[in-house]
Amino acid sequence: MKNQENKIAANKRLAELLGWSNIVEVGGALVGTPPAGALASRGQAMVPDWVGDWAASGQLICEYRVDLEWSHDGKDVVAIINRNYMYEEFTVLLADFSTPDAAARAAVVRAVAELVGCA
């Protein structure tokens, strides 16, 4: 249950940073008003599950140019943001997640949230 709560909280935080509004949880998913195209969605759309779905987090990787690396000891995954004005590594422990994929997606969300939050 705790992992589900953390996943929802991370997705909600990133959605807010990206300009979503009126976000509510409905049955374990998030819905809200998207930042652009609210009229096309009738003011409500499903918030992408960036932490739980590669299709959603993959778009973040491309749009925000996030690099992923695995540590030498294999205990964590690192999301790297490398910009002229920012270089930072966001480490996520593999042991905190059920799979390496889940840890990698969480690292991407953490990195993008930090990047967007700083902009």
Side-chain angles (χ1 to χ4, degrees), residues 20-26 28-34 43-48:
W20 287 72
S21 58
N22 304 319
I23 301 168
V24 295
E25 182 183 348
V26 179
L30 295 172
V31 294
T33 304
Q44 190 175 38
M46 191 163 219
V47 173

Side-chain angles (χ1 to χ4, degrees), residues 1-3 11 17 20 35 38 41-42 44 47 56 60 63 67-68 76 78 82 89 93 112 117-118:
M1 192 63 162
K2 184 74 171 162
N3 284 340
N11 280 329
L17 289 170
W20 287 72
S41 67
R42 297 184 185 179
Q44 190 175 38
V47 173
L60 293 176
E63 184 175 345
D67 296 323
L68 288 171
D76 48 40
V78 180
N82 188 6
E89 296 181 354
L93 295 174
V112 173
C118 289

Side-chain angles (χ1 to χ4, degrees), residues 36-103:
L39 293 177
S41 67
R42 297 184 185 179
Q44 190 175 38
M46 191 163 219
V47 173
D49 183 6
W50 295 293
V51 177
D53 181 19
W54 273 116
S57 61
Q59 290 178 342
L60 293 176
I61 290 170
C62 293
E63 184 175 345
Y64 293 96
R65 299 185 325 261
V66 178
D67 296 323
L68 288 171
E69 291 184 359
W70 302 97
S71 65
H72 296 291
D73 60 7
K75 293 184 180 179
D76 48 40
V77 61
V78 180
I80 300 170
I81 298 287
N82 188 6
R83 304 286 182 283
N84 292 337
Y85 56 90
M86 177 185 196
Y87 177 87
E88 197 160 347
E89 296 181 354
F90 301 89
T91 303
V92 173
L93 295 174
L94 293 174
D96 290 343
F97 295 88
S98 59
T99 66
D101 283 353

